[in-house]
Amino acid sequence: LPAFFAPKEVAQAPPSAAPKPSPSVVAAAMPSRVRYQSTRGGVHGLDFSDILLSAYAPDGGLFVPELSTMPNHIAGLHPGMTLAQVTARVLEPFTGIALADCEEICAAAFLSFNNGLEPALPLVRAGRRLLLETGAGPTLAFKDIGQQVVARLLNHVLGGRGERATIVVETSGDTGPAAIEAVRGCEAVRIFCLYPEGRVSRVQELQMVTVDSPNVFVYRTEGDTDEQAEALKRVFEDAAFMRRHSVCSINSINWARVLVQAGYYLWACQQVSPASDRPVHFVVPTGAFGNAAGGLLAKRLGGAVGRIVCATNSNDVVHRTISRGDMSMRANQQTVSPAMDIQFAYNVERLLYFCSGGDATAVAALMATLEADRAVALPPPLLHAVQDTFVSCAVSDAQTLQTMREVWAADGYALDPHSAIGVHALDHVESVRAACEGGRVVCVLTAHPAKFEEAVAAAGLPAAVCSDPRVAALERKPKKFRRLRDPKAASRQLKLEAWASEVKRAVEAEAAGEAVE
């Protein structure tokens, strides 16, 4: 690897704290050059500030750029740039925020990554593999990258308006801790976060329930991730409630998360193919498709991105969609990679939008069928367009744990179970290896193994690989959470409606200054 990858000492980051807008980052942004619409075509011509402070579009779709307004190249990128500098250049045309302010936002967001060293995301070798360690942030997961920037973007917009926002988010394990860490203590934002009982790791749960901040409300639910997501979609469909409480989401429903994640794909391309003369293929562990969507955006912005491999666990809706156009939602299965235990992969809707050339009518029809029947088949032309960029596979728990053992034994490198799924795909799946010929290959690692002690133990790795002082500190803190119980309703729909009502009641109570039970 180039000498650039040798860690360089920089000023040590202060303890993580709520983002505070500096004087240079409170002026109102100009209207964004890129304009936004729904994937389903119901709304058009929106500004970035409109879609940042939102969740789903009014027609149920996700917000995306109008393709005619998108740049097809990010100028001025070079290998000597930091992740913050690259990400700022991605943000500027999409947000309407001046480049200097984007650089300040991103530099502050990534200051604590990799223990204050550069590069913020280490790019390392294990055997012949090139690994991008995206779990180098404060909660040890790739979600920190987007969350830390999006929190500061919210502060930028809210600071200019003198307003307050309500974040409502659900998590399969990593989004919740990263979102809470990004906004805890921030007076302009309050956050309500749902996580499924018994379906996140011990450390993921500790990262949520030990936060003592008056703007953080954590709910342990008696359900699974897909039920949480569908319940919150009902909340987001209540337009009057959304306006009244300035509700937005900070998971990858929010376009800003996908936008920020494109930055590390472009940065990695600059490092491993600086002349853009060889494609860079990325192998990505995939749940809701937000990480892979960032790679797709980077490719559309002129990055040297070749094929993107989406490796799933047994919750394989993304694999079935890419490999044969089968978008059926099946029963959610609990695995050793809990952050990917998702059957409702909502960012696939953005994939359909981009790969159909922005055909919102076609996307709306497909999603209407999916929502009515919980299944839809992609038409062959659209499937072929998806397969021009994407390759996929599904990996079992046994294969995941075996890969963790193999890499530790051969290379002394400890993988978390999600990252092991991607590494297994590259090491053992012939269709993946064939797709990645003729270019450089980067495996995107998504978390630190310390977050997943259970899987590390099951794989037979030494307990010492999970040693991290940040985790040890959590164990000494008191726990605080509320319960969202299964109402034992007559149907799944009634259960989700009951949960949506309870979340709205809690938001209303906090806004009125009442105790949130």
Side-chain angles (χ1 to χ4, degrees):
L1 290 178
F4 174 77
F5 293 111
K8 297 180 289 186
E9 288 286 349
V10 298
Q12 277 296 307
S16 182
K20 305 294 183 184
S22 66
S24 63
V25 189
V26 294
M30 297 293 289
S32 55
R33 297 201 299 274
V34 173
R35 309 307 289 172
Y36 294 89
Q37 68 169 77
S38 166
T39 48
R40 304 184 191 185
V43 290
H44 293 268
L46 298 178
D47 185 69
F48 176 76
S49 62
D50 299 321
I51 63 105
L52 175 67
L53 298 168
S54 66
Y56 285 93
D59 62 359
L62 296 172
F63 288 113
V64 285
E66 294 181 0
L67 297 185
S68 63
T69 70
M70 267 185 64
N72 58 16
H73 180 69
I74 300 296
L77 301 185
H78 61 79
M81 283 184 166
T82 65
L83 174 66
Q85 291 169 328
V86 171
T87 305
R89 280 157 178 76
V90 175
L91 291 180
E92 189 269 335
F94 284 88
T95 65
I97 300 172
L99 179 59
D101 289 342
C102 288
E103 288 182 338
E104 184 174 344
I105 288 168
C106 293
F110 301 144
L111 184 62
S112 67
F113 281 56
N114 195 22
N115 296 312
L117 302 176
E118 284 288 351
L121 304 181
L123 190 56
V124 302
R125 284 199 181 278
R128 294 180 297 173
R129 311 172 201 86
L130 195 55
L131 311 177
L132 180 62
E133 296 179 344
T134 65
T139 72
L140 310 178
F142 88 93
K143 307 292 178 69
D144 286 318
I145 301 166
Q147 306 293 36
Q148 289 289 325
V149 176
V150 172
R152 287 165 172 79
L153 290 172
L154 286 169
N155 243 27
H156 179 100
V157 173
L158 294 169
R161 295 179 177 183
E163 295 177 356
R164 189 181 188 214
T166 302
I167 293 171
V168 179
V169 67
E170 62 83 26
T171 184
S172 56
D174 281 336
T175 290
I180 290 168
E181 175 64 24
V183 304
R184 65 182 177 87
C186 181
E187 295 180 0
V189 178
R190 53 187 176 156
I191 183 168
F192 294 78
C193 179
L194 281 59
Y195 76 93
E197 181 175 12
R199 298 182 70 114
V200 300
S201 76
R202 186 183 76 91
V203 174
Q204 287 173 321
E205 184 169 31
L206 285 172
Q207 289 176 325
M208 291 182 278
V209 303
T210 59
V211 176
D212 185 15
S213 181
N215 69 323
V216 174
F217 304 89
V218 176
Y219 287 82
R220 177 193 283 177
T221 72
E222 294 181 353
D224 61 42
T225 307
D226 294 324
E227 290 175 323
Q228 292 177 165
E230 292 185 58
L232 291 196
K233 186 164 188 181
R234 286 161 169 76
V235 174
F236 299 148
E237 288 170 347
D238 185 339
F241 173 82
M242 297 285 286
R243 286 193 301 270
R244 188 161 62 250
H245 297 287
S246 299
V247 176
C248 62
S249 185
I250 200 170
N251 64 8
S252 57
I253 291 171
N254 195 315
W255 169 254
R257 269 275 306 277
V258 176
L259 180 62
V260 173
Q261 288 166 187
Y264 56 79
Y265 286 93
L266 291 170
W267 179 82
C269 286
Q270 286 294 316
Q271 309 313 310
V272 303
S273 183
S276 298
D277 54 343
R278 296 180 67 187
V280 182
H281 309 301
F282 289 90
V283 183
V284 188
T286 305
F289 198 77
N291 198 343
L296 176 60
L297 177 60
K299 183 167 186 169
R300 295 187 67 95
L301 293 176
V305 179
R307 306 302 293 273
I308 300 173
V309 178
C310 291
T312 74
N313 61 21
S314 56
N315 295 286
D316 62 349
V317 63
V318 172
H319 168 50
R320 288 183 284 106
T321 299
I322 291 170
S323 62
R324 55 183 186 268
D326 170 16
M327 277 183 69
S328 58
M329 291 194 293
R330 299 178 180 174
N332 189 297
Q333 300 182 48
Q334 189 167 3
T335 73
V336 297
S337 48
M340 291 162 52
D341 288 351
I342 295 167
Q343 288 284 351
F344 179 51
Y346 39 81
N347 271 294
V348 169
E349 185 165 347
R350 288 186 169 119
L351 169 69
L352 303 183
Y353 171 82
F354 282 112
C355 290
S356 68
D359 188 343
T361 301
V363 173
L366 288 167
M367 296 308 297
T369 301
L370 178 64
E371 290 172 355
D373 302 338
R374 296 181 64 80
V376 70
L378 300 189
L382 179 54
L383 176 58
H384 295 156
V386 169
Q387 292 172 341
D388 283 344
T389 296
F390 290 93
V391 182
S392 65
C393 66
V395 178
S396 70
D397 278 358
Q399 292 169 325
T400 300
L401 297 174
Q402 180 60 29
T403 299
M404 294 171 69
R405 285 189 286 269
E406 289 174 355
V407 175
W408 176 256
D411 306 307
Y413 192 95
L415 294 168
D416 83 279
H418 308 78
S419 302
I421 288 173
V423 172
H424 176 89
L426 181 62
D427 285 0
H428 297 290
V429 179
E430 185 56 38
S431 60
V432 169
R433 296 169 67 88
C436 292
E437 289 180 355
R440 304 294 298 276
V441 183
V442 174
C443 278
V444 179
L445 309 190
T446 57
H448 190 288
K451 296 193 75 168
F452 303 99
E453 304 159 318
E454 301 90 341
V456 167
L461 272 61
V465 306
C466 291
S467 177
D468 189 286
R470 290 166 289 189
V471 174
L474 294 176
E475 295 169 343
R476 298 188 293 270
K477 294 182 178 182
K479 302 175 179 61
K480 182 178 70 172
F481 62 90
R482 296 160 179 84
R483 292 185 178 274
L484 201 55
R485 299 188 184 279
D486 185 343
K488 308 301 181 184
S491 70
R492 186 175 190 273
Q493 298 305 316
L494 289 174
K495 174 182 179 178
L496 302 182
E497 291 291 350
W499 279 9
S501 296
E502 178 62 19
V503 170
K504 289 194 284 186
R505 187 204 64 78
V507 171
E508 297 273 12
E510 197 279 337
E514 302 170 2
V516 178
E517 299 298 333

